[in-house]
């Protein structure tokens, strides 16, 4: 404990001395550049300074081993670091699929060269990753994927199409599931491979969403030559790697809703701010008792979920890898988030029906789009119906 308190004091003073003043209190939504990568644009230049300072210390990925660019911290020390960053209202220096998905997967399944090449670049925010899993005929039934990889000497030749590839247009590398053997049980002929998006034959077409934004792409592979050395784990054994990565993804999706930054003491929640503005207060309470009741339920659900995620994170200290239970977090976390957005829209009434132009405040228009974006939460990372099937089979042990 004494060591941890010493670490806390040193961390607090180091952060205070090194974190640029201009980034304190920034929201994640302000942080375009913080996904890193070759195409990153830092609209707030000090975010790049912050990234470099933290990467130098290994604190973009505090618990990863030092030899791969991490901080080598214990889970307890990493928690202290998070707490001290929250206290100073410091945003994360780097976010993205490198840190949350492919990085942890490479630590588990990658060979030494792959770890050295990719993990260090991820920690420094040099390379941005995207996920090439879904195909037009393979979403929930992912193992039906058809993108072909045919061996040619030391390379594979890739042909096929991926869909819903989030941020493919801004990414540098993609981790893909490809079919290397069509003649065996479908799960047994899949390989997990890493592809540089600059390789000739890779092309990307953005897809526009209901929210007006376009984070998705279709990604095409036409005779793309990719070294066999880029296979993670073994040829035809990609399904094992794919499932491990999905567990990390589901934990990440759940963590976004359950493990977010603690609200500063005394700061009102977004729900209360909205209710105050659109419903009004009477005798120090939200005027409408039905809305008040729904808000109390939402706050309790959010808080309980956050504590459960925290409990699971503490259990992970013993080295526990996320398994089928990450499906539970994914279902519940996304449902709580979607219900919360619906409640915000209900509180705002007709003010939540704007799309563009005058007549609505910017934050009102943004909330409408955020609400529409939240509809995708139950699908991304594997749909909630599929998660319920996984829970039934692998957690509860129910028959197929
Ligand atoms: C915001 C967002 C980001 C995404 N990002 C990526 C990405 O970066 N990379 C990537 O590869 N993919 C990505 N996806 C795709 C996502 O993984 C798929 O949308 C998801 O796996 C569902 O597949 P599908 O869309 O083909 O739906 P389908 O599989 O066609 O399912 C349609 C509906 O049928 C239900 N259903 C299907 N099978 C069953 C069953 N057996 N039992 C009960 N219900 C069933 C589903 O639950 C769903 O409601 C993203 C999706 C979203 C929404």
């Amino acid at each position: 404990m004494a060591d941890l308190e010493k670490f806390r004091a040193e961390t607090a003073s180091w952060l205070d001395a090194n974190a640029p003043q201009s980034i304190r209190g920034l929201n994640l939504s302000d942080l375009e550049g913080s996904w890193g990568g070759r195409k990153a644009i830092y609209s707030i230049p000090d975010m790049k300074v912050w990234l470099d300072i933290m990467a130098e210390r290994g604190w973009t990925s505090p618990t990863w081993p030092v030899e791969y660019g991490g901080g080598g911290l214990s889970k307890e020390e990493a928690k202290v670091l998070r707490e001290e960053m929250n206290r100073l209202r410091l945003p994360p220096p780097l976010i993205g699929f490198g840190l949350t998905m492919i990085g942890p997967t490479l630590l588990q399944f990658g060979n030494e060269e792959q770890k050295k090449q990719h993990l260090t670049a991820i920690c420094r925010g040099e390379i941005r990753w995207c996920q090439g899993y879904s195909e037009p005929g393979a979403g929930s039934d992912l193992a039906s994927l058809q993108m072909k990889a045919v061996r040619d000497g030391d390379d594979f030749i890739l042909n096929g199409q991926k869909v819903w590839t989030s941020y493919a247009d801004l990414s540098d590398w993609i981790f893909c599931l490809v079919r290397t053997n069509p003649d065996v049980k479908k799960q047994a002929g899949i390989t997990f491979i890493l592809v540089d998006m600059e390789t000739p034959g890779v092309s990307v077409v953005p897809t526009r969403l209901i929210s007006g934004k376009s984070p998705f792409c279709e990604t095409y592979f036409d005779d793309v030559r990719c070294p066999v050395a880029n296979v993670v784990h073994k040829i035809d054994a990609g399904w094992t790697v794919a499932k491990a990565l999905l567990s990390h993804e589901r934990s990440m999706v759940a963590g976004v809703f359950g493990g977010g930054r603690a609200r500063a003491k005394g700061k009102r929640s977004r729900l209360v701010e909205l209710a105050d503005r659109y419903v009004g207060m009477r005798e120090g309470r939200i005027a409408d008792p039905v809305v008040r009741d729904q808000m109390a339920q939402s706050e309790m659900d959010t808080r309980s979920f956050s504590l459960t995620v925290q409990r699971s994170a503490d259990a992970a200290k013993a080295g526990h890898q996320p398994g089928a239970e990450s499906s539970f977090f994914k279902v519940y976390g996304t449902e709580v988030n979607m219900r919360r957005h619906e409640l915000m829209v209900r509180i705002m009434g007709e003010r939540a029906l704007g799309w563009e132009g005058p007549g609505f405040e910017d934050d009102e228009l943004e909330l409408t789009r955020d609400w529409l974006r939240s509809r995708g939460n139950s699908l991304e990372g594997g749909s909630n119906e599929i998660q319920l099937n996984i829970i039934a089979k692998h957690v509860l042990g129910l028959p197929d």
Side-chain angles (χ1 to χ4, degrees), residues 138-163:
S140 298
D141 184 13
L142 183 60
S144 297
L145 61 97
Q146 294 299 324
M147 182 168 144
K148 258 195 295 181
V150 177
R151 183 86 184 244
D152 181 28
D154 289 339
D155 293 334
F156 276 114
I157 310 291
L158 312 182
N159 276 291
Q161 181 195 353
K162 297 290 174 183
V163 278

Side-chain angles (χ1 to χ4, degrees), residues 97 101 130-142 162-167 209 215-216 246 249 373 375-386 389:
F97 303 159
M101 290 200 242
C130 62
Q131 177 184 34
Y133 272 31
S134 306
E135 295 182 5
S140 298
D141 184 13
L142 183 60
K162 297 290 174 183
V163 278
W164 316 128
T165 331
S166 302
Y167 309 110
L209 297 189
F216 282 144
L246 280 172
E249 179 177 7
R373 169 63 183 83
R375 307 303 305 159
N377 292 160
S378 59
L379 284 168
E380 58 197 306
S383 79
N384 283 6
E385 289 79 12
I386 295 301
N389 286 347

Side-chain angles (χ1 to χ4, degrees), residues 271 274 339-353 367-368 370-372:
L271 274 183
L274 288 174
R339 283 204 298 269
R340 201 174 170 81
H341 275 87
E342 272 158 29
L343 180 55
M344 289 193 223
V345 165
R346 224 173 296 142
I347 289 172
M348 288 170 68
E350 62 182 6
R351 302 300 301 168
L353 296 178
L367 203 137
T368 307
D370 285 351
W371 163 62
L372 289 169

Side-chain angles (χ1 to χ4, degrees), residues 267-281:
K267 191 171 185 315
R268 299 194 307 171
S269 82
R270 184 88 197 274
L271 274 183
V272 176
E273 280 173 3
L274 288 174
D276 188 4
R277 181 166 155 195
Y278 295 100
V279 180
M281 307 288 263

